[in-house]
Amino acid sequence: MTKIKATNVILHAFDWPYNRVTQYAKDIAKAGYKAVLVSPPLKSYKHEDGTEWWQRYQPQDYRVIDNQLGNTDDFRKMTAILDAHDVHVYVDVVFNHMANESKIRHDLNYPSKQVLDEYHQSAARYETLKLFGDITKPLFTERDFIKAFPIKNWADPWEVQHGRISGGNEDPGLPTLKCNQNVIKQQKCYINSLKQLGIKGFRIDAAKHLTLEHIQLVWDKHISADVHIFGEIITDGGATKEEYELFLAPYLKGTSLGAYDFPLFHAMYNVFEKGQPLAELDNPYSVGQALAYDRAITFAITHDIPNNDVFLDQVMTEHNELFAYCYILGRDGGVPLIYSDLDTSNITNSNGSPRWKDCWNEPVLTKMIAFHNLMQGQPMAVLSKGEDHLIFCRADEGVVAINRGAEPLNIVLPAGQFSVLVDTGSNIASCSQTAGSYRLEASSCAMLVKSTLLE
């Protein structure tokens, strides 16, 4: 098969050590990914016995990369190897808060005196790991933090954007940063230092908790130039839903940045898991159930869903998750994000293996990515829709069909010879050719492309 040019699919290598990303760089490129999103590259708590994934989301310092996943040297090596394979690096940035270290100290200097002493004692080493700034002094002090109070009313934007994220009444929570001159300055210096390392994309963690002013001040035109930026604003659905109207709508109106397409995720979940008609996925944007094509980060699962008890009921079955990937990789619009972890959730697949560890490179998924890459920019038109099926074409170059029903489905193809890239319900050989029509078995999905595209 001809080499297919990667377009925009992102591999979310969640909590992967930087050296592991380096190790798999060639395979990542071969699988059709254009970018890899890695966990926050900063200083956070680490231990020789390992630490929980959420420690990566509790910053101690922006100026040094030194955490459980690796250090600045590992990170630089990873970016260089990925660049050699023409794969971009995206990073997660945590700007709402700093680490909860209340069990070991009572001040709000970041990093702590203990960390600053560590910098001093190994000055030569940390100077090579430094991204920017003067690491003999704190990055932030008490005057950079909002006075502590826990978030109790999650439907109050002011409270959500000023209170502390905490685990309950006994948990002092994560110290919330102010939107002041020093905080904005340091966060912009951090972004610029990462851009100098070649970083091409940024995921804004916990964007719901940042004020619109804070986001606008950090992500100005200069900072945002030549990079892809998107925010994580978790909602329970699309337009008219309370969380959408309170948090996502103002962000979309007040910025030009991208966002996780939670409206589309919930639309897919309602169809595939709750049995609503597949016809509802005909054009979800037209009814406020999907974001605009040029701002959406589309997904079938995010790291929050399997790793937080409150979202666990949103994990789809393996079968339905594959349907969701077929839909988001088949449709026109959005930047697909494919999730992979190293078993942080302890959820296994039907074979008893960690469910999302190797899924990123499974043949069916990589062929779906190939379809997405081949069809980039081709207009989409629905050919047939119903309670249990959805068939659409991409110009006359490709066809996507999802059949949730209990009976086979006959697909009338556009004129010409087509090759079968994906068929989850058949043992038919990949790239076998057909013309005129195609039979899709019950409870399966398929992707076909014009045979000439593979020559």
Side-chain angles (χ1 to χ4, degrees), residues 327-338:
Y327 178 71
I328 65 171
L329 289 164
R331 71 194 283 266
D332 182 27
V335 174
L337 182 72
I338 310 297

PDB file of all heavy atoms in Angstrom, residues 327-338:
ATOM      1  N   TYR A 327     -16.463   6.454  13.787  1.00  0.00           N
ATOM      2  CA  TYR A 327     -17.221   7.671  13.492  1.00  0.00           C
ATOM      3  C   TYR A 327     -16.321   8.896  13.472  1.00  0.00           C
ATOM      4  O   TYR A 327     -16.329   9.667  12.508  1.00  0.00           O
ATOM      5  CB  TYR A 327     -18.335   7.830  14.519  1.00  0.00           C
ATOM      6  CG  TYR A 327     -19.149   9.092  14.317  1.00  0.00           C
ATOM      7  CD1 TYR A 327     -20.009   9.223  13.240  1.00  0.00           C
ATOM      8  CD2 TYR A 327     -19.051  10.148  15.217  1.00  0.00           C
ATOM      9  CE1 TYR A 327     -20.747  10.385  13.046  1.00  0.00           C
ATOM     10  CE2 TYR A 327     -19.782  11.310  15.031  1.00  0.00           C
ATOM     11  CZ  TYR A 327     -20.634  11.426  13.954  1.00  0.00           C
ATOM     12  OH  TYR A 327     -21.353  12.578  13.767  1.00  0.00           O
ATOM     13  N   ILE A 328     -15.494   9.103  14.521  1.00  0.00           N
ATOM     14  CA  ILE A 328     -14.710  10.351  14.568  1.00  0.00           C
ATOM     15  C   ILE A 328     -13.556  10.348  13.563  1.00  0.00           C
ATOM     16  O   ILE A 328     -13.156  11.403  13.078  1.00  0.00           O
ATOM     17  CB  ILE A 328     -14.195  10.680  15.988  1.00  0.00           C
ATOM     18  CG1 ILE A 328     -13.190   9.635  16.497  1.00  0.00           C
ATOM     19  CG2 ILE A 328     -15.341  10.874  16.951  1.00  0.00           C
ATOM     20  CD1 ILE A 328     -12.518  10.044  17.797  1.00  0.00           C
ATOM     21  N   LEU A 329     -13.032   9.154  13.219  1.00  0.00           N
ATOM     22  CA  LEU A 329     -11.970   9.079  12.218  1.00  0.00           C
ATOM     23  C   LEU A 329     -12.525   9.041  10.795  1.00  0.00           C
ATOM     24  O   LEU A 329     -11.803   9.275   9.835  1.00  0.00           O
ATOM     25  CB  LEU A 329     -11.081   7.864  12.475  1.00  0.00           C
ATOM     26  CG  LEU A 329     -10.188   7.978  13.727  1.00  0.00           C
ATOM     27  CD1 LEU A 329      -9.648   6.618  14.144  1.00  0.00           C
ATOM     28  CD2 LEU A 329      -9.044   8.961  13.499  1.00  0.00           C
ATOM     29  N   GLY A 330     -13.807   8.755  10.691  1.00  0.00           N
ATOM     30  CA  GLY A 330     -14.439   8.721   9.377  1.00  0.00           C
ATOM     31  C   GLY A 330     -15.054  10.038   8.967  1.00  0.00           C
ATOM     32  O   GLY A 330     -15.075  10.371   7.783  1.00  0.00           O
ATOM     33  N   ARG A 331     -15.533  10.817   9.943  1.00  0.00           N
ATOM     34  CA  ARG A 331     -16.269  12.050   9.632  1.00  0.00           C
ATOM     35  C   ARG A 331     -15.322  13.184   9.250  1.00  0.00           C
ATOM     36  O   ARG A 331     -14.121  13.110   9.468  1.00  0.00           O
ATOM     37  CB  ARG A 331     -17.133  12.467  10.834  1.00  0.00           C
ATOM     38  CG  ARG A 331     -16.310  12.989  11.985  1.00  0.00           C
ATOM     39  CD  ARG A 331     -17.141  13.074  13.255  1.00  0.00           C
ATOM     40  NE  ARG A 331     -18.025  14.226  13.265  1.00  0.00           N
ATOM     41  CZ  ARG A 331     -17.723  15.410  13.816  1.00  0.00           C
ATOM     42  NH1 ARG A 331     -16.520  15.613  14.338  1.00  0.00           N
ATOM     43  NH2 ARG A 331     -18.600  16.392  13.827  1.00  0.00           N
ATOM     44  N   ASP A 332     -15.922  14.224   8.717  1.00  0.00           N
ATOM     45  CA  ASP A 332     -15.167  15.414   8.366  1.00  0.00           C
ATOM     46  C   ASP A 332     -15.183  16.375   9.547  1.00  0.00           C
ATOM     47  O   ASP A 332     -16.233  16.649  10.122  1.00  0.00           O
ATOM     48  CB  ASP A 332     -15.805  16.090   7.145  1.00  0.00           C
ATOM     49  CG  ASP A 332     -15.044  17.315   6.681  1.00  0.00           C
ATOM     50  OD1 ASP A 332     -13.826  17.373   6.917  1.00  0.00           O
ATOM     51  OD2 ASP A 332     -15.674  18.213   6.095  1.00  0.00           O
ATOM     52  N   GLY A 333     -14.023  16.892   9.926  1.00  0.00           N
ATOM     53  CA  GLY A 333     -13.958  17.899  10.984  1.00  0.00           C
ATOM     54  C   GLY A 333     -13.370  17.379  12.279  1.00  0.00           C
ATOM     55  O   GLY A 333     -13.488  16.205  12.625  1.00  0.00           O
ATOM     56  N   GLY A 334     -12.706  18.294  12.989  1.00  0.00           N
ATOM     57  CA  GLY A 334     -12.134  17.953  14.283  1.00  0.00           C
ATOM     58  C   GLY A 334     -10.759  17.324  14.164  1.00  0.00           C
ATOM     59  O   GLY A 334     -10.353  16.852  13.090  1.00  0.00           O
ATOM     60  N   VAL A 335     -10.049  17.358  15.270  1.00  0.00           N
ATOM     61  CA  VAL A 335      -8.736  16.714  15.380  1.00  0.00           C
ATOM     62  C   VAL A 335      -8.889  15.515  16.311  1.00  0.00           C
ATOM     63  O   VAL A 335      -9.125  15.687  17.508  1.00  0.00           O
ATOM     64  CB  VAL A 335      -7.681  17.694  15.944  1.00  0.00           C
ATOM     65  CG1 VAL A 335      -6.359  16.980  16.195  1.00  0.00           C
ATOM     66  CG2 VAL A 335      -7.489  18.871  14.999  1.00  0.00           C
ATOM     67  N   PRO A 336      -8.779  14.302  15.797  1.00  0.00           N
ATOM     68  CA  PRO A 336      -8.979  13.116  16.636  1.00  0.00           C
ATOM     69  C   PRO A 336      -7.826  12.906  17.623  1.00  0.00           C
ATOM     70  O   PRO A 336      -6.648  13.034  17.267  1.00  0.00           O
ATOM     71  CB  PRO A 336      -9.049  11.967  15.631  1.00  0.00           C
ATOM     72  CG  PRO A 336      -9.323  12.608  14.313  1.00  0.00           C
ATOM     73  CD  PRO A 336      -8.654  13.947  14.378  1.00  0.00           C
ATOM     74  N   LEU A 337      -8.188  12.589  18.849  1.00  0.00           N
ATOM     75  CA  LEU A 337      -7.231  12.300  19.919  1.00  0.00           C
ATOM     76  C   LEU A 337      -7.416  10.845  20.332  1.00  0.00           C
ATOM     77  O   LEU A 337      -8.508  10.450  20.760  1.00  0.00           O
ATOM     78  CB  LEU A 337      -7.487  13.234  21.105  1.00  0.00           C
ATOM     79  CG  LEU A 337      -6.567  13.119  22.309  1.00  0.00           C
ATOM     80  CD1 LEU A 337      -5.187  13.683  22.006  1.00  0.00           C
ATOM     81  CD2 LEU A 337      -7.163  13.854  23.518  1.00  0.00           C
ATOM     82  N   ILE A 338      -6.354  10.041  20.197  1.00  0.00           N
ATOM     83  CA  ILE A 338      -6.421   8.609  20.506  1.00  0.00           C
ATOM     84  C   ILE A 338      -5.707   8.365  21.831  1.00  0.00           C
ATOM     85  O   ILE A 338      -4.524   8.681  21.981  1.00  0.00           O
ATOM     86  CB  ILE A 338      -5.747   7.765  19.407  1.00  0.00           C
ATOM     87  CG1 ILE A 338      -6.254   8.169  18.010  1.00  0.00           C
ATOM     88  CG2 ILE A 338      -5.949   6.277  19.687  1.00  0.00           C
ATOM     89  CD1 ILE A 338      -7.712   7.943  17.768  1.00  0.00           C
TER      90      ILE A 338
END
